[in-house]
Each structure stands twice: as C-alpha cells, then as structure tokens.
C-alpha cells in the first residue's frame, strides 16, 4: 500500500491518501492514528505531492556503507550511533533544491528512509518490523566544504531544501532485494544493493529504542553508498529504490 | 507576559494559557498563530505544566561559554555553528529525569532557551529580536562517558527525559542583566552571567537564517557555563534565570 501526502490547488493544506495506480483515494485521518477511505478519487497528475511526513524527530545514519566511508576517508564505525537532520530542510518530490550562492561542492546521497508507525521502546531486533509503517526515499544533500569546515552539519546538510524526501510511503517493500539507483540527468551515476548496510534497520531500531522512544512519524534515514559528482546548476537527480518509486529533484543555484 | 502550556486532570490534551501571578487565563489558539483570552480562570496549582512548545526544529548551541569549554577540554569555536537536540528527550518542569541503568556520569547544563515566534529568513542582527516570541529555561542533561565514546550525541544528550524545558515562556525578559543559577539539592553549584556568551542570540539567529528558515515554535538553546558534579539518584536540580522562573527536575535512577 502506498501512502501519499498531497495538496490541491496550492491551498496549502496537506492531506493523506492512498495511491492506487495513478489515482488517489483521499482518507479521513492519517496512517498513524487510524483512517477511513472516502468515496472521492483524484488523479495523481492533479495534485501537488507533499513531504510524506513531518517527523517529530528526524534521525539519520551517517556512515553505514563501507565504500562510501572509504571514499570520504572516514573510519568505519564499530556501533550504530544515529545522528539527526532538521525539518526546515525537508523538500517534497519534484521541487527544486536551492544551492546557496556560496555552496561550491554539493553532492547527492540516495538513502532508504524508514517511517516509524507506532510508539516503541525497548524493541528486540526480531520485533523491529512491528513498529515500521513503511519506507520512502531520501536525498541527504551535502555541501562537502562546509561539512569539513563547520563543527556541525547545520548548513552542510540542513540548509533549506537540502533534504528531499518522498515521493510516498510504501508499506510492503522488501529491503532484502532492494537496489538503489541514482541518475544524474538521466545517466546512472550511483548503484548499490540497498541492504548492504554496516548495521541494518532492525539493529538500529533495537539499539536506539534502548535509550529513546520512537514515535509515529519519526523517520530514520539509513545512509548511502558510493560517491556523487559535484552538482551543477540545472542538474536533475533521480533516486530510485526498488518498489519505492523515484524521488526527483532539480538542483538550482540561488540567484 | 508568560505563556504556559498545561493540561488538566491528565487528560493528555495540552492547551496554552497566559499565566498571571498564580492564575492561568486559558486562550483559544496559541502564541504563534493568534489567540483570544477566554473568561475562564484556573489555579496554577491545579494544572500539570507541560513542555512549553514542541519545536519543529530543536536547535542547540554546543560551546558558547569560555569557562565551560575550558573545563571540558575543548577548543573555542571561531564561528557560530549550531547543533541539534531531539524532541523525544523533552521533559516538562516537575517531572523526573530518568538516568538509564548504564549511565554513569550524568551532568546538568543550565541554558537560556530562545523561542522563535515568526517565520524568518535572512535576518540582520539588529532585526533578530523581531522573530523572537520569548525565552524559557533548558537543562541540556548529558552523560559524559557516552559523549566521549559515541560518534554522535544520540544517547549522551538525547536519551528520553534528558531535555527538561520550561516552566513557561516569558516574552519580556532582559537578557543583558540575566543571571543563571543552578541549585543542586538547594545549594548553589553553578552561577554565571547568562549574556556572557561567545556568540549572542542575535548573532546566531542572523547567521543561521542566511541558510535556513526559522519557524514559529523552533527553539534555540544557547549553551551553558561552568561544570556540573556527577548527579546521583534522588538529586533535585533547579535552574533559575532572572525573570524566567525556575526549572526543577529530580534525577532518578532507572529501576
């Protein structure tokens, strides 16, 4: 099942619906607190796709694929220490990533995103799936010079528009056979087995939940593999994960 | 004016009101989107004080007072790079901080909290005050061994209950003459001039807003000075900032 968050006519109010082929079934309620299908139908082409969820807490795994860690010249972590990103930076599918005038080395990072469906604390690895609503796609856009020069990731990874997420939440994906493919202007530039993580989803959820409560709508971005070229004004980045669709965003220089 | 967020009879629904002496004037609406006073009155003693705001993004300055930086053996930052904390860890005034069984060196950090009142981007330092709703108090509880051993602050600073904030938001505070006083079981253990920061509130807001949009309800914790002793089961920590009241929380060992 595909949960889509959308708005109509730019009236600003985002609603949840269920995406069936290219039709949306609007619902009363939401995927977290319960819902009812309505009799209405909308064409996907007639709505604006919105960020699929505004997370109470925005978790993001920094280093979770061996090749990426090596390329960035970093040490392989010995345990799953999760990090954070910021809601101001979230951007919906189809909208432009704005590269600030002084951003000189902007990269994409294609990531699997786990969406938490229910409140959870002290979860065993074998039970982790029970607190997951579904999966979507994230682009952990990064400015590498700021990442090196600043003490935190505040602008390197959290400048406005630096966190595209979407297009929707798929509740029935199979991570074990998933592939991540990133296309730059139509050409494949990065490709990796999504599940080839240093620490998997269940391990992260179990470890985190020993110390913290996961809440409905929290998101956990799972890290990336490979390496991005430096992005230029007008570049189109499309990230496809098997079964989850494609997250597309154009990168535009701020004027 | 004092904005208080409260609930009655533990029914779970938190509301905003205006605190006048020891009486609450409930409002329709909230301090961010507009409000109307009601004719009702409640006694402060009859309500549960809730977290004064659930921030869309939870900003926190890591190192902003020279003595604290020296005590922790860290380098003085040369620019205002803001960090983040996580909403799962927020705790209201009067509730217990739960120290996990394996937490061995838990410290308090008394901090001024800035509450953003309106959406803001590209703010000059001289205009920063216009986007501030008011101020409250934060305790940036930290487990120092995890802070040293983990790659991120996920459990060192963001374990459940590690971010007490409150008791309410004061809209008319004067930072320039403010003092931060921390009492441990009634004795003063830390005391410093709140404004004695490396980078002030206006500097942070101006710098941050060059790259990101601040939203109503965002909070910015301004860092701490001094040094906390290791806290023990049953310790009461009271943080008072001139004009803002006192944030009190007992520290209890998880059983």
């Amino acid at each position: 099942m595909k949960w889509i968050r959308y708005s109509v006519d730019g009236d600003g109010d985002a609603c949840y619906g269920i995406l069936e082929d290219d039709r949306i079934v609007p619902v009363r309620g939401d995927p977290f607190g319960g819902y009812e299908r309505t009799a209405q139908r909308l064409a996907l082409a007639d709505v604006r796709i919105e960020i699929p969820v505004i997370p109470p807490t925005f978790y993001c795994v920094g280093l979770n694929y061996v090749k990426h860690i090596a390329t960035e010249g970093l040490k392989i972590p010995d345990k799953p220490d999760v990090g954070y990103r910021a809601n101001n930076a979230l951007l919906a599918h189809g909208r432009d990533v704005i590269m600030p005038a002084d951003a000189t080395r902007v990269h994409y990072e294609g990531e699997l995103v786990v969406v938490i469906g229910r409140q959870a604390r002290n979860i065993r690895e074998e039970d982790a799936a029970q607190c997951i609503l579904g999966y979507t796609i994230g682009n952990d856009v990064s400015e590498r010079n700021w990442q090196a020069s600043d003490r935190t990731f505040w602008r390197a990874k959290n400048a406005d528009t630096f966190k595209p997420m979407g297009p929707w939440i798929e509740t029935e994906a199979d991570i074990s056979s998933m592939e991540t493919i990133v296309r730059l202007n139509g050409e494949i530039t990065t490709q990796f087995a999504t599940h080839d993580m240093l620490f998997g989803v269940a391990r992260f959820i179990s470890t985190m939940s020993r110390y913290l409560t996961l809440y409905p709508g929290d998101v956990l971005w799972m890290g990336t593999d490979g390496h991005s070229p430096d992005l230029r004004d007008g570049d189109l980045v499309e990230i496809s994960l098997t079964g989850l669709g494609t997250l597309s965003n154009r990168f535009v220089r701020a004027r």
Side-chain angles (χ1 to χ4, degrees), chain A residues 207-219:
Chain A
T207 304
M208 291 163 64
S209 75
R210 283 185 55 200
Y211 297 94
L212 59 87
T213 305
L214 290 164
Y215 289 94
D218 281 350
V219 296

Side-chain angles (χ1 to χ4, degrees), chain A residues 119-239:
Chain A
Q119 193 169 325
R121 180 78 203 252
N122 287 319
I123 300 297
R124 294 180 307 173
E125 284 194 43
E126 53 270 41
D127 298 329
Q130 293 171 20
C131 69
I132 297 172
L133 170 70
Y135 302 91
T136 187
I137 304 169
N139 188 348
D140 190 12
V141 176
S142 307
E143 209 285 352
R144 299 299 180 199
N145 290 325
W146 295 339
Q147 192 171 345
S149 68
D150 298 349
R151 281 194 317 111
T152 70
F153 291 163
W154 73 278
R155 60 177 176 160
K157 286 179 175 276
N158 296 298
D160 280 350
T161 77
F162 270 28
K163 291 288 141 312
M165 177 166 67
W168 42 71
I169 301 165
E170 171 61 64
T171 63
E172 279 141 50
D174 174 17
I175 298 183
S176 68
S177 60
M178 203 178 269
E179 202 177 29
T180 303
I181 295 177
V182 187
R183 287 182 178 81
L184 176 59
N185 302 322
E187 303 283 326
I188 294 179
T189 44
T190 299
Q191 186 164 10
F192 60 91
T194 315
H195 68 272
D196 198 17
M197 301 170 184
L198 204 50
F199 305 108
V201 173
R203 173 75 183 279
F204 263 99
I205 286 178
S206 173
T207 304
M208 291 163 64
S209 75
R210 283 185 55 200
Y211 297 94
L212 59 87
T213 305
L214 290 164
Y215 289 94
D218 281 350
V219 296
L220 173 60
W221 291 35
M222 292 304 301
T224 199
D225 207 353
H227 183 71
S228 164
D230 295 351
L231 298 174
R232 298 180 192 179
D233 192 15
D235 277 347
L236 179 67
V237 175
E238 296 167 290
I239 303 173

Side-chain angles (χ1 to χ4, degrees), chain A residues 4-82:
Chain A
I4 187 165
R5 196 162 158 272
Y6 67 93
S7 64
V8 180
D9 284 332
D11 69 358
D13 277 350
C15 314
Y16 274 104
I18 297 161
L19 182 64
E20 297 178 346
D21 300 320
D22 56 354
R23 298 249 139 199
I24 295 170
V25 181
V27 303
R28 275 182 289 273
D30 64 56
F32 307 103
Y35 70 93
E36 252 174 56
R37 292 167 69 104
T38 65
Q40 221 188 326
R41 296 293 178 273
L42 295 168
L44 178 58
D46 292 343
V47 305
R48 270 167 75 97
I49 297 180
E50 302 287 349
I51 299 157
V53 63
I54 310 289
T57 299
F58 185 165
Y59 297 99
C60 185
V61 176
L63 303 171
N64 208 21
Y65 290 86
V66 171
K67 241 183 309 177
H68 177 73
I69 299 169
T71 314
E72 303 299 334
L74 298 162
K75 220 183 110 211
I76 292 177
D78 57 358
K79 57 196 176 63
D81 292 326
V82 77

